[in-house]
Amino acid sequence: MRLFVSVDLPDDLAASVADLQDAFEDASGLNFTDPEQAHVTLKFLGDVDEDRLPALERELEAAVADADVDPFTVRYGGLGVFPSLDYISVVWLGTETGGEELTQLHEALEERTTAMGFEPESHDFTPHVTLARMEHAGGKDLVQELVRERDPTIGETTVEEVRLTESTLTDSGPVYSTVESFPLE
């Protein structure tokens, strides 16, 4: 099972994510994510044997408790890229509020999952929603211009749970399904 831990955007923000992606439609080389599956990845776990699932779920539940985060509001806004404007591999939507709580959750999940033997993150955590991946640099100038000039806010939502999500790769892109949910209390 290919797994990650996420905070999912609600369905009512999908149209706003799609509208934001439309601003980049003339930038060649971008491969857009499905706005219906928009999420913030808190921890990518990769391929996990199914027999590890019960222990993983226990550790994720404990990590969410360790984070000690009550339900909170995230306002999604701002644009950015990874790793830099000079070399773009990912175009993302950031968070205007709620980033601190998302980071607390990430850190607690990171601690518990690395103790189980999962790979630690190789870079600092930046709460974000991936809008597109850049396959080639044909549209780099337009992406740079839009990221520099636009500061969109697409909406906000209350985060009440963290999800363990399975990603199944298909010819038409990944399909996500929730394996387990962990409520914030």
Side-chain angles (χ1 to χ4, degrees):
M1 303 175 76
R2 183 180 160 93
L3 301 175
F4 61 90
V5 184
S6 65
V7 167
D8 297 351
L9 273 66
D11 293 342
D12 64 351
L13 290 184
S16 297
V17 170
D19 288 346
L20 184 54
Q21 289 172 321
D22 286 347
F24 291 89
E25 70 183 350
D26 291 336
S28 69
L30 288 180
N31 183 13
F32 294 98
T33 58
D34 181 350
E36 300 283 335
Q37 298 188 124
H39 64 276
V40 174
T41 299
L42 296 173
K43 176 66 181 172
F44 180 75
L45 298 166
D47 293 324
V48 179
D49 289 334
E50 224 170 306
D51 60 354
R52 291 188 74 190
L53 205 52
L56 176 61
E57 289 176 355
R58 281 192 302 275
E59 288 301 308
L60 295 179
E61 185 174 20
V64 170
D66 291 348
D68 196 27
V69 172
D70 292 326
F72 62 99
T73 300
V74 176
R75 183 180 314 116
Y76 294 98
L79 294 170
V81 298
F82 292 135
S84 71
L85 278 172
D86 291 328
Y87 178 81
I88 300 168
S89 62
V90 171
V91 179
W92 51 262
L93 168 69
T95 59
E96 295 174 354
T97 64
E100 187 176 308
E101 292 88 346
L102 291 167
T103 300
Q104 280 179 246
L105 287 163
H106 161 76
E107 289 171 352
L109 291 161
E110 182 76 1
E111 187 174 323
R112 290 273 182 169
T113 56
T114 54
M116 291 183 74
F118 289 95
E119 287 291 316
E121 290 295 329
S122 59
H123 49 77
D124 289 339
F125 177 72
T126 301
H128 70 280
V129 177
T130 298
L131 297 174
R133 289 179 177 78
M134 189 154 243
E135 304 295 325
H136 65 77
K140 177 180 166 183
D141 291 345
L142 178 56
V143 171
Q144 289 171 329
E145 178 183 325
L146 290 169
V147 169
R148 284 187 184 114
E149 294 179 4
R150 294 215 172 183
D151 190 19
T153 298
I154 68 147
E156 64 182 37
T157 186
T158 301
V159 175
E160 297 179 345
E161 66 181 10
V162 169
R163 293 183 182 168
L164 176 61
T165 305
E166 180 177 13
S167 173
T168 305
L169 301 178
T170 70
D171 290 340
S172 56
V175 175
Y176 301 143
S177 55
T178 301
V179 176
E180 188 61 70
S181 298
F182 306 96
L184 305 180
E185 298 179 15

